[in-house]
Amino acid sequence: NAGVTQTPKFRVLKTGQSMTLLCAQDMNHEYMYWYRQDPGMGLRLIHYSVGEGTTAKGEVPDGYNVSRLKKQNFLLGLESAAPSQTSVYFCASSAPTGNGEEPQHFGDGTRLSIL
Amino acid sequence: TQLLEQSPQFLSIQEGENLTVYCNSSSVFSSLQWYRQEPGEGPVLLVTVVTGGEVKKLKRLTFQFGDARKDSSLHITAAQPGDTGLYLCAGGGTQGGSEKLVFGKGMKLTVNP
């Protein structure tokens, strides 16, 4: 059972470089999410998607873009990395139940450092 | 902006002690989820509570949803070193749809043998 798989697990970038974080889920979930987790800040939603071809902004979307071309994949892009984007990034997925009870299934995170 | 405040933020106790973690908000949620996260891993769901006043038990863990569905608590009885981790509460169902969760900042628990 792979669940939610994130690649890469670790990455170091220089300021101004770009990169894409990959998230894949094998549970046929409709909803997918990207969070960042910083010390003392908890999990903050960056972008999310409620289905293939649709994306929406979360709490902290600036500096990030996303794409959901296939149902099982959700990509997070940093066009011009900044030190403030140093964080641990988590992808999650869930199946809609319509009543706010659906659990989110998380990957193990990507640890990103921007120098 | 909806907020979930967790307290305490850090707790270090000895094996065998009891503890309670609180999750409070001024907003009403249709559900409240509790997750546990270990170092180097993503959060994993422990329980979901959906009815005001609901109490759920998971072995030594007892979860309660407030009557007004604005707060929740997690009580651990006779804590063990394996309980060490970050405990996160998350509220769902109030942001124009049930797909998004609002997370608290978490409570980092260390249980010393």
Side-chain angles (χ1 to χ4, degrees):
Chain A
N1 288 338
V4 178
T5 303
Q6 292 184 233
T7 54
K9 295 188 184 304
F10 304 92
R11 186 73 185 270
V12 178
L13 292 177
K14 294 181 179 179
T15 297
Q17 287 186 317
S18 64
M19 78 162 294
T20 301
L21 280 64
L22 311 179
C23 177
Q25 53 95 4
D26 61 1
M27 297 171 282
N28 201 36
H29 285 167
E30 287 293 331
Y31 296 164
M32 297 188 73
Y33 317 82
W34 275 108
Y35 294 90
R36 60 178 290 174
Q37 187 174 40
D38 302 291
M41 299 297 291
L43 282 164
R44 292 184 292 170
L45 184 64
I46 304 171
H47 286 280
Y48 65 102
S49 168
V50 300
E52 181 180 321
T54 69
T55 63
K57 294 180 180 180
E59 180 186 354
V60 287
D62 294 342
Y64 306 94
N65 55 75
V66 289
S67 63
R68 184 100 182 266
L69 299 180
K70 293 183 179 181
K71 185 178 183 179
Q72 63 268 33
N73 297 332
F74 196 27
L75 310 182
L76 177 71
L78 285 73
E79 291 186 348
S80 180
S84 60
Q85 294 177 304
T86 292
S87 187
V88 182
Y89 291 85
F90 286 97
C91 176
S93 69
S94 68
T97 61
N99 55 12
E101 296 179 38
E102 59 275 3
Q104 293 189 7
H105 300 261
F106 286 83
D108 285 338
T110 294
R111 283 141 190 85
L112 183 62
S113 294
I114 315 296
L115 304 179
Chain B
T1 302
Q2 295 172 304
L3 294 174
L4 273 171
E5 300 288 342
Q6 285 189 243
S7 61
Q9 294 185 23
F10 303 92
L11 192 58
S12 181
I13 60 174
Q14 295 299 120
E15 182 175 0
E17 291 186 35
N18 301 333
L19 69 121
T20 301
V21 186
Y22 298 95
C23 179
N24 297 301
S25 177
S26 59
S27 302
V28 175
F29 293 97
S30 63
S31 70
L32 206 296
Q33 301 178 5
W34 284 91
Y35 291 79
R36 180 166 165 261
Q37 183 180 15
E38 297 192 40
E41 300 182 4
V44 176
L45 182 73
L46 294 172
V47 77
T48 301
V49 285
V50 298
T51 305
E54 181 178 4
V55 177
K56 281 191 175 180
K57 291 190 175 182
L58 185 65
K59 297 184 179 178
R60 293 176 294 100
L61 278 61
T62 301
F63 304 85
Q64 185 165 7
F65 202 10
D67 291 340
R69 291 186 289 124
K70 293 183 178 180
D71 54 85
S72 181
S73 64
L74 159 59
H75 182 78
I76 301 179
T77 303
Q80 299 177 2
D83 295 328
T84 293
L86 180 69
Y87 289 82
L88 295 158
C89 64
T94 64
Q95 300 182 70
S98 59
E99 65 274 11
K100 291 191 292 183
L101 295 174
V102 174
F103 280 88
K105 294 182 179 180
M107 191 279 290
K108 187 174 182 180
L109 175 65
T110 302
V111 183
N112 303 298

